[in-house]
Amino acid sequence: MFDLIIRNASLPDGRRGQDIAISGERIAEIAPRIEAETREEIAAGGNLVTPPFVDPHFHMDATLSLGLPRMNRSGTLLEGIALWGELRLTLTVDALVERAMRYCDLAVTQGLLAIRTHVDTSDPRLVTVEAMLEVKRQVAPYIDLQLVAFPQDGYFRAKDGVESLNRALDMGVDVVGGIPHFERTMEEGRLSVEALCRIAAERGLPVDMHCDETDDPLSRHVETLAAETVRHGLQGRVAGSHLTSMHSMDNYYVSKLIPLIADSGMNVIPNPLINIMLQGRHDAYPKRRGMTRVRELMAAGVNVSFGHDCVMDPWYSMGSGDMLEVGHMAVHVAQMAGVEEKIAIFDALTVNSAKTMGLEGYGLAKGCFADLVLLQAQSPAEALRLKPVRLSVIKRGRVIARTPARVSELLIAGRARLVDGSVGFAPET
Ligand code: FE2
C-alpha cells in the first residue's frame, strides 16, 4: 500500500506515461504502470512532474521592500546599493520576517522549495541575520533555506565589515559570502577573496561570492576565487555568483580562465533577470548584455545554475518568485533555444541548483525525497515557454499547494470553446 501515486506523468528527461509511487516522505518507485493500492492518487494527465525549483541566489532580507524609503530613480546597481544603505538603518526584525514569510508563501505556490539567500552583514546590529535565522526556522518544514553572510558594503571597505561577517557566522549563517569587485582596490578585492576562503576552510563552510558583477573586463577576481578554491581543497563547495565581467573579457584570456574554473569545481550562478537589467549601463549603443558565458561554461563541464537574485527590492522592481521566468530570460540572453539547450536551462533551475546548494535526497529517482511539482505543461521546453500553473506542489509526500489549471473560455461566435493554458502544442522532444 503506497501513500500516493501520481499517474501518467511526463518527466524532465523525456520519459512519458510514468507513475510515481510515494511511501512516507520518499519516492518508492517510478514505472510506466504501477499496479498497487494507494491511499491517494493524482492524475497528471501527461503533464510534467519535476523535482522542485531551486533558487541558489536570492536576497530575502531586501525582498518586497520596493519603494522603501524611495524608488531607485536611475535604476542602476550603484543607486540600488545606496538606497539599500538608507533603508537598512530603519530595518526591524519583525518587518524583515513579515516580508520574507510573504515571499516564501509565494515561492511555495511557484514550486520553489529551496533558496540560498545572501544576508547583508554590513550593519553591525545584524538585524538582517537575526530575522533570516528566524525565517529559516519557520519555513524549515517546507523550504530548504541557506543563508550566506554577505558583506554588501565590502568586507574591508565597510568600517565593521570583518567583525560583522565573523559574528554572523558565529550566529549560525551557513555560507561565507563576499563582494571583491566592490572593495576599494583590485588588490583589496584579491585579499578579500583570500581571507574569506581561508575563513571558509577553517570553519568547514561553503563559499558563495558576488564576484565581478561589473562590465569591467579587467575585473578578474574569479581567477583568484578558483585558485583559492583549489588551494584550500574546497572543490565543489564554492560558487561564483554573477561573473558578469566575463561577458566583456578578452577571448584569449577566457580560453585560459574557463578551464581554470572547470578544474576548480566551482559552481557558477548567473542571474539573468538582474544581469540584463543592470549591466551595460555605461554603454551607448551597442549595449552589452552582461550575462556571463553560460553556453561555454556548460560546454566545459562547469555546473551552472541560475538565480532569481531580486524580487521587488532596491535593485529590481519586478519578479514573481517564478524560476521559469528566470529560465525564460536565460534562454533569450544566452541565446540557447535549441532542443538540448532548453533542457540544459531547465536543469540549471532544478538539478544543477540542487548540486550548488548541496541538497541531500533531491531528484526524481527511487529513494529520493518525494518533493515534486506538477506543472500544466508537458515538457521542460513547454514549461520555459509558458511559465505554466503549478497544479500541485508536494513536499515530503504531502500536497502543500494547489492551483487550478488555467483554462480560458472563448465566447466568439463560431469559435466558442475552452482554451487550455498549455495551448495544446505538441511538446518538443
Ligand atoms: Fe545578488
Side-chain angles (χ1 to χ4, degrees):
M1 169 77 83
F2 292 115
D3 292 310
L4 170 65
I5 297 181
I6 303 171
R7 299 277 187 200
N8 187 21
S10 296
L11 307 185
D13 65 8
R15 277 180 287 169
R16 302 182 59 77
Q18 301 292 306
D19 290 357
I20 304 167
I22 293 161
S23 279
E25 297 193 335
R26 298 198 182 250
I27 296 172
E29 196 181 342
I30 301 178
R33 177 73 203 165
I34 296 172
E35 305 286 352
E37 301 249 316
T38 178
R39 289 193 177 81
E40 199 184 339
E41 202 169 279
I42 294 175
N47 280 323
L48 180 67
V49 173
T50 174
F53 295 104
V54 176
D55 181 358
H57 186 115
F58 194 61
H59 294 264
M60 203 174 280
D61 52 1
T63 196
L64 306 185
S65 68
L66 182 68
L68 299 175
R70 60 183 177 82
M71 295 296 283
N72 182 339
R73 293 275 162 218
S74 66
T76 59
L77 172 61
L78 292 180
E79 186 176 344
I81 293 174
L83 210 170
W84 172 243
E86 294 170 32
L87 173 59
R88 200 166 47 200
L89 301 172
T90 69
L91 293 175
T92 64
V93 171
D94 287 350
L96 285 161
V97 170
E98 188 274 325
R99 286 196 287 266
M101 289 303 294
R102 259 195 294 137
Y103 181 77
C104 288
D105 290 346
L106 177 67
V108 169
T109 67
Q110 303 279 32
L112 171 54
L113 300 186
I115 301 171
R116 175 182 278 180
T117 181
H118 293 255
V119 184
D120 186 3
T121 58
S122 303
D123 178 350
R125 293 182 305 147
L126 294 180
V127 286
T128 45
V129 175
E130 197 182 322
M132 292 307 118
L133 284 167
E134 173 59 19
V135 172
K136 180 178 171 172
R137 194 187 61 75
Q138 289 192 28
V139 303
Y142 53 93
I143 292 180
D144 287 301
L145 185 61
Q146 280 181 4
L147 310 185
V148 185
F150 173 49
Q152 170 77 73
D153 291 357
Y155 180 61
F156 292 131
R157 179 171 172 169
K159 192 167 135 291
D160 303 301
V162 173
E163 206 262 327
S164 291
L165 182 132
N166 277 296
R167 223 154 23 90
L169 296 175
D170 290 342
M171 287 166 75
V173 170
D174 310 284
V175 183
V176 179
I179 186 165
H181 57 278
F182 197 69
E183 304 294 345
R184 288 261 179 228
T185 63
M186 284 291 178
E187 179 63 3
E188 288 192 359
R190 184 180 67 76
L191 292 171
S192 79
V193 174
E194 288 180 6
L196 291 160
C197 285
R198 194 178 317 115
I199 288 173
E202 284 168 4
R203 290 179 179 254
L205 297 176
V207 174
D208 189 338
M209 288 193 196
H210 285 66
C211 192
D212 303 324
E213 189 185 4
T214 153
D215 297 311
D216 175 5
L218 296 178
S219 187
R220 295 176 170 187
H221 297 296
V222 60
E223 181 186 272
T224 310
L225 185 58
E228 291 301 293
T229 298
V230 174
R231 202 158 72 83
H232 290 290
L234 293 168
Q235 290 92 335
R237 294 166 53 207
V238 172
S241 280
H242 290 294
L243 308 187
T244 53
S245 73
M246 281 181 69
H247 185 94
S248 300
M249 281 175 182
D250 172 73
N251 289 331
Y252 174 78
Y253 176 69
V254 172
S255 76
K256 181 167 161 268
L257 177 63
I258 288 183
L260 179 70
I261 293 174
D263 288 349
S264 75
M266 186 194 298
N267 302 292
V268 169
I269 309 175
N271 296 285
L273 295 168
I274 306 312
N275 299 156
I276 198 69
M277 180 62 88
L278 295 182
Q279 299 307 308
R281 288 294 180 123
H282 291 263
D283 293 356
Y285 288 95
K287 286 181 189 286
R288 286 167 288 179
R289 294 167 189 232
M291 190 167 76
T292 195
R293 304 189 188 200
V294 172
R295 186 200 305 264
E296 293 74 10
L297 286 160
M298 284 181 170
V302 175
N303 184 51
V304 177
S305 49
F306 294 116
H308 202 320
D309 204 0
C310 302
V311 171
M312 297 184 71
D313 67 13
W315 298 274
Y316 190 61
S317 61
M318 300 180 66
S320 60
D322 182 359
M323 292 309 291
L324 286 169
E325 192 174 313
V326 175
H328 187 270
M329 182 60 79
V331 167
H332 289 83
V333 181
Q335 299 181 327
M336 288 178 64
V339 172
E340 299 295 326
E341 289 172 336
K342 274 193 264 188
I343 292 169
I345 298 277
F346 191 84
D347 285 347
L349 309 170
T350 50
V351 285
N352 298 8
S353 306
K355 188 176 173 197
T356 299
M357 285 182 63
L359 298 181
E360 303 274 344
Y362 179 95
L364 209 46
K366 185 176 174 176
C368 292
F369 282 123
D371 299 347
L372 301 164
V373 182
L374 172 62
L375 297 155
Q376 192 189 356
Q378 302 217 338
S379 69
E382 199 171 69
L384 285 165
R385 181 172 68 87
L386 295 169
K387 301 177 277 311
V389 164
R390 281 63 166 163
L391 298 165
S392 297
V393 178
I394 296 167
K395 176 73 178 182
R396 301 291 195 265
R398 291 172 181 274
V399 177
I400 59 167
R402 267 197 310 251
T403 307
R406 193 187 129 204
V407 179
S408 302
E409 196 180 351
L410 202 58
L411 304 171
I412 301 164
R415 299 291 299 171
R417 67 193 63 207
L418 297 178
V419 179
D420 185 306
S422 66
V423 206
F425 291 126
E428 291 178 47
T429 52

